Amino acid sequence: MPDAAIEQVTLYLIRHGETEVNRRNCVQGKRIDPPLNERGRRQAECVGRQFQDIKVDWIVTSAAQRAIETGSAVSTHHPGVPLDSFPALNELEFGDLEGRHVTTGYNDLVVKWDTDHCADLTAPGAGSESPTACAQRAMPCIQDIVEIAAAKGWRHVCIVAHSRLIQIVLAAMLDGSLQTMGKYKQKKAAINTIKVSAVGDAAGQWGVSAVALKVNSVEHMPNGVLSRVSSAGAMANRSQKDELVCFEVDSSGVLVLRYLSASPH
């Protein structure tokens, strides 16, 4: 890749709508892949309507069905625009925390990432990732998207992805460091508007000039459509019953809900 400045591209980084896993305040990462629930579909429709009068040249999503569904809501208003999915934009792999309630370890991990700034800390369990590892697969993909868009003359790109991945991308692009991930928390179906110019070199090094026009905006959704759950709320109102909820992928690849046995006293 020769050293070359790329003309400015507007990226709309969009978090997917709510799922049943979200509604139950459980962790969904790279492996847990539920569809949108009813509220999530309404949120996706609001996202789509937000872009009905906005220029869109390309719609990109992760490979997760919740992101594809949300991106498809935008595509409804731009039927001639390419819609592509990239697995590199999948959510961070949370390992043993995936499918479990946020109060069973996830919130503690987030404190270490966002407050203690331990971006190299890997989530517990085999196959899990750290924010640094997630950035190493996601940022080259973002770079490729910007380069492809610029080469084709596409100046307005919607990217539908996930909460932690978007936090990572925003921190890397806007601040050049993952130390600021915590300030870019994302509500369900939030939209971030970023003006990007980038420079790539033969070694694949990522250089970016990015300006945020909007971050974590949900002004396109009425109050009745906004999600009502949050990790902070779950911590303030801990429930043993909630903590026994577990989503798992069975041997046939189907996502199932089960309840763990309570620990004996």
Side-chain angles (χ1 to χ4, degrees):
M1 183 194 314
D3 290 334
I6 294 176
E7 295 183 27
Q8 198 169 69
V9 174
T10 300
L11 299 182
Y12 299 101
L13 295 172
I14 305 164
R15 186 185 179 186
H16 61 80
E18 183 182 285
T19 71
E20 190 63 15
V21 179
N22 286 141
R23 190 186 71 80
R24 289 180 175 268
N25 251 327
C26 293
V27 180
Q28 59 186 13
K30 185 178 180 182
R31 177 165 39 88
I32 298 293
D33 187 20
L36 299 179
N37 62 14
E38 181 181 354
R39 184 183 295 272
R41 289 189 293 271
R42 292 170 63 197
Q43 291 171 345
E45 290 169 0
C46 289
V47 171
R49 285 194 296 270
Q50 178 69 9
F51 286 96
Q52 64 183 349
D53 297 320
I54 295 176
K55 175 72 170 174
V56 174
D57 298 306
W58 191 15
I59 304 166
V60 172
T61 76
S62 78
Q65 59 179 323
R66 57 194 186 272
I68 294 171
E69 285 185 67
T70 305
S72 295
V74 179
S75 181
T76 297
H77 298 280
H78 298 275
V81 169
L83 172 61
D84 295 299
S85 298
F86 293 88
L89 298 177
N90 286 355
E91 179 62 297
L92 185 145
E93 167 62 71
F94 288 100
D96 290 348
L97 299 178
E98 296 229 359
R100 298 297 309 277
H101 197 263
V102 294
T103 56
T104 61
Y106 170 81
N107 282 344
D108 295 334
L109 181 64
V110 168
V111 168
K112 293 176 182 177
W113 284 345
D114 293 347
T115 302
D116 300 337
H117 306 303
C118 300
D120 292 335
L121 179 65
T122 300
S128 60
E129 292 180 299
S130 66
T132 297
C134 185
Q136 288 170 347
R137 65 170 163 86
M139 291 310 296
C141 183
I142 295 291
Q143 179 177 345
D144 288 345
I145 289 167
V146 173
E147 292 178 351
I148 291 168
K152 292 180 176 289
W154 297 341
R155 298 291 180 256
H156 303 87
V157 180
C158 289
I159 301 177
V160 185
H162 307 270
S163 179
R164 178 54 58 172
L165 185 133
I166 292 174
Q167 289 180 252
I168 288 168
V169 169
L170 290 176
M173 288 200 306
L174 298 174
D175 304 322
S177 169
L178 300 187
Q179 301 297 306
T180 60
M181 288 185 296
K183 73 179 185 181
Y184 297 117
K185 293 186 183 300
Q186 299 290 303
K187 295 180 180 179
K188 280 81 172 175
I191 299 173
N192 305 266
T193 305
I194 314 295
K195 293 280 189 181
V196 176
S197 299
V199 176
D201 64 23
Q205 296 298 308
W206 171 250
V208 62
S209 173
V211 177
L213 303 183
K214 286 186 179 181
V215 172
N216 193 28
S217 173
V218 291
E219 62 187 12
H220 52 286
M221 289 188 290
N223 286 337
V225 178
L226 294 171
S227 292
R228 301 303 183 194
V229 297
S230 69
S231 298
M235 288 299 291
N237 300 282
R238 294 188 70 159
S239 162
Q240 184 184 43
K241 180 180 179 181
D242 289 340
E243 293 180 359
L244 296 177
V245 169
C246 181
F247 286 90
E248 294 182 345
V249 179
D250 68 15
S251 59
S252 61
V254 176
L255 185 66
V256 296
L257 169 65
R258 68 184 185 90
Y259 290 88
L260 305 174
S261 299
S263 299
H265 294 290

mmCIF file of all heavy atoms in Angstrom, residues 14 17 39-52 54 70 73-74 77 188-191 218-226:
data_model
loop_
_atom_site.group_PDB
_atom_site.id
_atom_site.type_symbol
_atom_site.label_atom_id
_atom_site.label_comp_id
_atom_site.label_asym_id
_atom_site.label_seq_id
_atom_site.Cartn_x
_atom_site.Cartn_y
_atom_site.Cartn_z
ATOM 1 N N ILE A 14 -22.919 2.753 13.821
ATOM 2 C CA ILE A 14 -24.237 2.518 14.394
ATOM 3 C C ILE A 14 -24.210 1.246 15.244
ATOM 4 O O ILE A 14 -23.766 0.185 14.774
ATOM 5 C CB ILE A 14 -25.287 2.355 13.275
ATOM 6 C CG1 ILE A 14 -25.271 3.569 12.339
ATOM 7 C CG2 ILE A 14 -26.677 2.125 13.863
ATOM 8 C CD1 ILE A 14 -25.990 3.331 11.016
ATOM 9 N N GLY A 17 -29.710 -2.714 17.196
ATOM 10 C CA GLY A 17 -30.843 -2.599 18.097
ATOM 11 C C GLY A 17 -30.833 -3.675 19.173
ATOM 12 O O GLY A 17 -29.989 -4.571 19.199
ATOM 13 N N ARG A 39 -38.557 -4.654 20.401
ATOM 14 C CA ARG A 39 -38.063 -3.289 20.614
ATOM 15 C C ARG A 39 -36.878 -2.996 19.703
ATOM 16 O O ARG A 39 -36.753 -1.910 19.143
ATOM 17 C CB ARG A 39 -37.680 -3.073 22.081
ATOM 18 C CG ARG A 39 -37.249 -1.628 22.399
ATOM 19 C CD ARG A 39 -36.821 -1.491 23.850
ATOM 20 N NE ARG A 39 -37.927 -1.722 24.761
ATOM 21 C CZ ARG A 39 -38.763 -0.777 25.172
ATOM 22 N NH1 ARG A 39 -38.619 0.474 24.744
ATOM 23 N NH2 ARG A 39 -39.732 -1.062 26.022
ATOM 24 N N GLY A 40 -35.999 -3.989 19.536
ATOM 25 C CA GLY A 40 -34.842 -3.811 18.673
ATOM 26 C C GLY A 40 -35.230 -3.562 17.231
ATOM 27 O O GLY A 40 -34.603 -2.766 16.530
ATOM 28 N N ARG A 41 -36.288 -4.253 16.774
ATOM 29 C CA ARG A 41 -36.754 -4.025 15.400
ATOM 30 C C ARG A 41 -37.321 -2.615 15.242
ATOM 31 O O ARG A 41 -37.111 -1.968 14.212
ATOM 32 C CB ARG A 41 -37.780 -5.089 15.009
ATOM 33 C CG ARG A 41 -37.159 -6.474 14.818
ATOM 34 C CD ARG A 41 -38.149 -7.457 14.219
ATOM 35 N NE ARG A 41 -39.246 -7.772 15.123
ATOM 36 C CZ ARG A 41 -39.213 -8.766 16.021
ATOM 37 N NH1 ARG A 41 -38.123 -9.510 16.149
ATOM 38 N NH2 ARG A 41 -40.266 -9.001 16.777
ATOM 39 N N ARG A 42 -38.007 -2.141 16.260
ATOM 40 C CA ARG A 42 -38.520 -0.762 16.220
ATOM 41 C C ARG A 42 -37.372 0.235 16.229
ATOM 42 O O ARG A 42 -37.407 1.266 15.539
ATOM 43 C CB ARG A 42 -39.462 -0.519 17.403
ATOM 44 C CG ARG A 42 -40.765 -1.304 17.325
ATOM 45 C CD ARG A 42 -41.542 -1.222 18.615
ATOM 46 N NE ARG A 42 -41.949 0.159 18.921
ATOM 47 C CZ ARG A 42 -42.344 0.562 20.123
ATOM 48 N NH1 ARG A 42 -42.358 -0.289 21.140
ATOM 49 N NH2 ARG A 42 -42.709 1.813 20.305
ATOM 50 N N GLN A 43 -36.334 -0.064 17.001
ATOM 51 C CA GLN A 43 -35.151 0.795 17.014
ATOM 52 C C GLN A 43 -34.480 0.815 15.652
ATOM 53 O O GLN A 43 -34.065 1.882 15.165
ATOM 54 C CB GLN A 43 -34.175 0.310 18.094
ATOM 55 C CG GLN A 43 -34.674 0.516 19.513
ATOM 56 C CD GLN A 43 -33.799 -0.172 20.552
ATOM 57 O OE1 GLN A 43 -32.964 -1.031 20.225
ATOM 58 N NE2 GLN A 43 -33.983 0.184 21.811
ATOM 59 N N ALA A 44 -34.371 -0.357 15.028
ATOM 60 C CA ALA A 44 -33.766 -0.435 13.699
ATOM 61 C C ALA A 44 -34.577 0.367 12.686
ATOM 62 O O ALA A 44 -34.012 1.044 11.812
ATOM 63 C CB ALA A 44 -33.644 -1.891 13.257
ATOM 64 N N GLU A 45 -35.892 0.301 12.796
ATOM 65 C CA GLU A 45 -36.742 1.093 11.898
ATOM 66 C C GLU A 45 -36.480 2.584 12.084
ATOM 67 O O GLU A 45 -36.459 3.344 11.105
ATOM 68 C CB GLU A 45 -38.209 0.767 12.163
ATOM 69 C CG GLU A 45 -38.620 -0.628 11.703
ATOM 70 C CD GLU A 45 -40.000 -1.017 12.208
ATOM 71 O OE1 GLU A 45 -40.646 -0.191 12.914
ATOM 72 O OE2 GLU A 45 -40.443 -2.147 11.903
ATOM 73 N N CYS A 46 -36.280 3.010 13.324
ATOM 74 C CA CYS A 46 -35.962 4.418 13.582
ATOM 75 C C CYS A 46 -34.620 4.800 12.959
ATOM 76 O O CYS A 46 -34.463 5.896 12.406
ATOM 77 C CB CYS A 46 -35.936 4.683 15.088
ATOM 78 S SG CYS A 46 -37.543 4.640 15.900
ATOM 79 N N VAL A 47 -33.647 3.890 13.050
ATOM 80 C CA VAL A 47 -32.354 4.137 12.406
ATOM 81 C C VAL A 47 -32.541 4.274 10.903
ATOM 82 O O VAL A 47 -32.008 5.200 10.273
ATOM 83 C CB VAL A 47 -31.362 2.997 12.735
ATOM 84 C CG1 VAL A 47 -30.092 3.136 11.881
ATOM 85 C CG2 VAL A 47 -30.993 3.004 14.211
ATOM 86 N N GLY A 48 -33.298 3.363 10.309
ATOM 87 C CA GLY A 48 -33.538 3.418 8.872
ATOM 88 C C GLY A 48 -34.180 4.725 8.452
ATOM 89 O O GLY A 48 -33.750 5.347 7.472
ATOM 90 N N ARG A 49 -35.209 5.149 9.183
ATOM 91 C CA ARG A 49 -35.880 6.412 8.840
ATOM 92 C C ARG A 49 -34.957 7.606 8.995
ATOM 93 O O ARG A 49 -35.064 8.582 8.250
ATOM 94 C CB ARG A 49 -37.127 6.592 9.707
ATOM 95 C CG ARG A 49 -38.293 5.694 9.290
ATOM 96 C CD ARG A 49 -39.585 6.142 9.927
ATOM 97 N NE ARG A 49 -39.542 6.023 11.382
ATOM 98 C CZ ARG A 49 -39.910 4.925 12.043
ATOM 99 N NH1 ARG A 49 -40.323 3.855 11.379
ATOM 100 N NH2 ARG A 49 -39.870 4.893 13.366
ATOM 101 N N GLN A 50 -34.018 7.517 9.937
ATOM 102 C CA GLN A 50 -33.064 8.618 10.117
ATOM 103 C C GLN A 50 -32.247 8.850 8.848
ATOM 104 O O GLN A 50 -31.852 9.976 8.552
ATOM 105 C CB GLN A 50 -32.134 8.307 11.289
ATOM 106 C CG GLN A 50 -31.043 9.344 11.564
ATOM 107 C CD GLN A 50 -31.588 10.653 12.095
ATOM 108 O OE1 GLN A 50 -32.774 10.757 12.430
ATOM 109 N NE2 GLN A 50 -30.742 11.659 12.187
ATOM 110 N N PHE A 51 -32.019 7.779 8.094
ATOM 111 C CA PHE A 51 -31.171 7.886 6.899
ATOM 112 C C PHE A 51 -31.972 7.975 5.598
ATOM 113 O O PHE A 51 -31.378 7.998 4.520
ATOM 114 C CB PHE A 51 -30.213 6.693 6.830
ATOM 115 C CG PHE A 51 -29.094 6.764 7.827
ATOM 116 C CD1 PHE A 51 -29.185 6.113 9.052
ATOM 117 C CD2 PHE A 51 -27.966 7.518 7.559
ATOM 118 C CE1 PHE A 51 -28.169 6.198 9.976
ATOM 119 C CE2 PHE A 51 -26.931 7.619 8.478
ATOM 120 C CZ PHE A 51 -27.032 6.950 9.701
ATOM 121 N N GLN A 52 -33.286 8.061 5.684
ATOM 122 C CA GLN A 52 -34.065 8.057 4.444
ATOM 123 C C GLN A 52 -33.798 9.280 3.574
ATOM 124 O O GLN A 52 -33.891 9.201 2.350
ATOM 125 C CB GLN A 52 -35.558 7.942 4.756
ATOM 126 C CG GLN A 52 -36.167 9.086 5.519
ATOM 127 C CD GLN A 52 -37.636 8.843 5.849
ATOM 128 O OE1 GLN A 52 -38.252 7.906 5.326
ATOM 129 N NE2 GLN A 52 -38.205 9.670 6.706
ATOM 130 N N ILE A 54 -30.825 11.069 3.950
ATOM 131 C CA ILE A 54 -29.383 11.296 4.070
ATOM 132 C C ILE A 54 -28.670 10.455 3.022
ATOM 133 O O ILE A 54 -29.007 9.288 2.805
ATOM 134 C CB ILE A 54 -28.876 10.934 5.479
ATOM 135 C CG1 ILE A 54 -29.503 11.873 6.523
ATOM 136 C CG2 ILE A 54 -27.353 10.998 5.558
ATOM 137 C CD1 ILE A 54 -29.135 11.532 7.949
ATOM 138 N N THR A 70 -30.196 -4.650 11.581
ATOM 139 C CA THR A 70 -30.207 -3.191 11.741
ATOM 140 C C THR A 70 -29.743 -2.517 10.458
ATOM 141 O O THR A 70 -30.328 -1.519 10.017
ATOM 142 C CB THR A 70 -29.326 -2.781 12.927
ATOM 143 O OG1 THR A 70 -29.749 -3.481 14.107
ATOM 144 C CG2 THR A 70 -29.418 -1.284 13.188
ATOM 145 N N ALA A 73 -32.394 -2.373 7.804
ATOM 146 C CA ALA A 73 -33.395 -1.315 7.978
ATOM 147 C C ALA A 73 -32.964 -0.032 7.276
ATOM 148 O O ALA A 73 -33.798 0.723 6.769
ATOM 149 C CB ALA A 73 -33.635 -1.054 9.465
ATOM 150 N N VAL A 74 -31.666 0.221 7.234
ATOM 151 C CA VAL A 74 -31.142 1.357 6.466
ATOM 152 C C VAL A 74 -31.263 1.065 4.977
ATOM 153 O O VAL A 74 -31.663 1.914 4.174
ATOM 154 C CB VAL A 74 -29.673 1.653 6.842
ATOM 155 C CG1 VAL A 74 -29.127 2.823 6.010
ATOM 156 C CG2 VAL A 74 -29.546 1.958 8.327
ATOM 157 N N HIS A 77 -34.364 1.955 2.848
ATOM 158 C CA HIS A 77 -34.505 3.317 2.310
ATOM 159 C C HIS A 77 -33.460 3.630 1.233
ATOM 160 O O HIS A 77 -33.506 4.704 0.624
ATOM 161 C CB HIS A 77 -34.398 4.331 3.444
ATOM 162 C CG HIS A 77 -35.479 4.180 4.488
ATOM 163 N ND1 HIS A 77 -36.753 4.676 4.304
ATOM 164 C CD2 HIS A 77 -35.473 3.546 5.687
ATOM 165 C CE1 HIS A 77 -37.486 4.368 5.370
ATOM 166 N NE2 HIS A 77 -36.741 3.686 6.217
ATOM 167 N N LYS A 188 -28.302 1.356 22.789
ATOM 168 C CA LYS A 188 -28.768 0.517 21.688
ATOM 169 C C LYS A 188 -29.232 1.381 20.521
ATOM 170 O O LYS A 188 -29.935 2.370 20.714
ATOM 171 C CB LYS A 188 -29.916 -0.381 22.129
ATOM 172 C CG LYS A 188 -29.499 -1.620 22.898
ATOM 173 C CD LYS A 188 -29.229 -1.292 24.348
ATOM 174 C CE LYS A 188 -29.002 -2.555 25.176
ATOM 175 N NZ LYS A 188 -28.629 -2.203 26.570
ATOM 176 N N ALA A 189 -28.809 1.028 19.319
ATOM 177 C CA ALA A 189 -29.167 1.726 18.075
ATOM 178 C C ALA A 189 -28.692 3.173 18.046
ATOM 179 O O ALA A 189 -29.257 3.996 17.329
ATOM 180 C CB ALA A 189 -30.671 1.653 17.831
ATOM 181 N N ALA A 190 -27.650 3.483 18.793
ATOM 182 C CA ALA A 190 -27.062 4.829 18.754
ATOM 183 C C ALA A 190 -26.297 5.041 17.455
ATOM 184 O O ALA A 190 -25.782 4.091 16.850
ATOM 185 C CB ALA A 190 -26.132 5.034 19.945
ATOM 186 N N ILE A 191 -26.200 6.298 17.035
ATOM 187 C CA ILE A 191 -25.488 6.669 15.809
ATOM 188 C C ILE A 191 -24.340 7.615 16.168
ATOM 189 O O ILE A 191 -24.519 8.569 16.920
ATOM 190 C CB ILE A 191 -26.428 7.355 14.798
ATOM 191 C CG1 ILE A 191 -27.562 6.406 14.394
ATOM 192 C CG2 ILE A 191 -25.651 7.809 13.560
ATOM 193 C CD1 ILE A 191 -28.626 7.062 13.524
ATOM 194 N N VAL A 218 -29.025 9.299 20.147
ATOM 195 C CA VAL A 218 -30.277 8.542 20.019
ATOM 196 C C VAL A 218 -31.455 9.492 19.764
ATOM 197 O O VAL A 218 -32.609 9.150 20.032
ATOM 198 C CB VAL A 218 -30.540 7.675 21.274
ATOM 199 C CG1 VAL A 218 -29.525 6.545 21.367
ATOM 200 C CG2 VAL A 218 -30.532 8.521 22.544
ATOM 201 N N GLU A 219 -31.135 10.650 19.208
ATOM 202 C CA GLU A 219 -32.178 11.638 18.967
ATOM 203 C C GLU A 219 -33.181 11.192 17.898
ATOM 204 O O GLU A 219 -34.264 11.778 17.779
ATOM 205 C CB GLU A 219 -31.542 12.969 18.555
ATOM 206 C CG GLU A 219 -30.751 12.905 17.256
ATOM 207 C CD GLU A 219 -29.993 14.188 16.961
ATOM 208 O OE1 GLU A 219 -29.907 15.035 17.875
ATOM 209 O OE2 GLU A 219 -29.498 14.335 15.825
ATOM 210 N N HIS A 220 -32.834 10.151 17.164
ATOM 211 C CA HIS A 220 -33.737 9.633 16.135
ATOM 212 C C HIS A 220 -34.799 8.695 16.701
ATOM 213 O O HIS A 220 -35.663 8.231 15.947
ATOM 214 C CB HIS A 220 -32.922 8.881 15.072
ATOM 215 C CG HIS A 220 -32.011 7.836 15.655
ATOM 216 N ND1 HIS A 220 -30.856 8.147 16.323
ATOM 217 C CD2 HIS A 220 -32.098 6.471 15.661
ATOM 218 C CE1 HIS A 220 -30.264 7.033 16.723
ATOM 219 N NE2 HIS A 220 -31.002 6.011 16.337
ATOM 220 N N MET A 221 -34.741 8.389 18.014
ATOM 221 C CA MET A 221 -35.689 7.461 18.611
ATOM 222 C C MET A 221 -36.555 8.155 19.655
ATOM 223 O O MET A 221 -36.031 8.877 20.515
ATOM 224 C CB MET A 221 -34.950 6.288 19.267
ATOM 225 C CG MET A 221 -34.319 5.337 18.270
ATOM 226 S SD MET A 221 -33.658 3.840 19.054
ATOM 227 C CE MET A 221 -32.256 4.518 19.942
ATOM 228 N N PRO A 222 -37.862 7.931 19.624
ATOM 229 C CA PRO A 222 -38.723 8.446 20.685
ATOM 230 C C PRO A 222 -38.456 7.716 21.997
ATOM 231 O O PRO A 222 -37.926 6.596 22.006
ATOM 232 C CB PRO A 222 -40.137 8.176 20.165
ATOM 233 C CG PRO A 222 -39.984 7.046 19.209
ATOM 234 C CD PRO A 222 -38.627 7.215 18.587
ATOM 235 N N ASN A 223 -38.823 8.344 23.114
ATOM 236 C CA ASN A 223 -38.554 7.752 24.420
ATOM 237 C C ASN A 223 -39.135 6.356 24.559
ATOM 238 O O ASN A 223 -38.540 5.485 25.205
ATOM 239 C CB ASN A 223 -39.095 8.654 25.527
ATOM 240 C CG ASN A 223 -38.244 9.892 25.739
ATOM 241 O OD1 ASN A 223 -37.066 9.901 25.399
ATOM 242 N ND2 ASN A 223 -38.835 10.940 26.291
ATOM 243 N N GLY A 224 -40.283 6.125 23.960
ATOM 244 C CA GLY A 224 -40.927 4.826 24.103
ATOM 245 C C GLY A 224 -40.206 3.690 23.421
ATOM 246 O O GLY A 224 -40.509 2.519 23.671
ATOM 247 N N VAL A 225 -39.239 4.013 22.573
ATOM 248 C CA VAL A 225 -38.493 2.995 21.840
ATOM 249 C C VAL A 225 -37.116 2.739 22.463
ATOM 250 O O VAL A 225 -36.519 1.689 22.254
ATOM 251 C CB VAL A 225 -38.351 3.408 20.354
ATOM 252 C CG1 VAL A 225 -37.528 2.402 19.568
ATOM 253 C CG2 VAL A 225 -39.728 3.546 19.719
ATOM 254 N N LEU A 226 -36.629 3.673 23.245
ATOM 255 C CA LEU A 226 -35.320 3.515 23.869
ATOM 256 C C LEU A 226 -35.293 2.302 24.790
ATOM 257 O O LEU A 226 -36.292 1.958 25.422
ATOM 258 C CB LEU A 226 -34.953 4.765 24.677
ATOM 259 C CG LEU A 226 -34.734 6.063 23.894
ATOM 260 C CD1 LEU A 226 -34.595 7.238 24.858
ATOM 261 C CD2 LEU A 226 -33.497 5.953 23.003
#
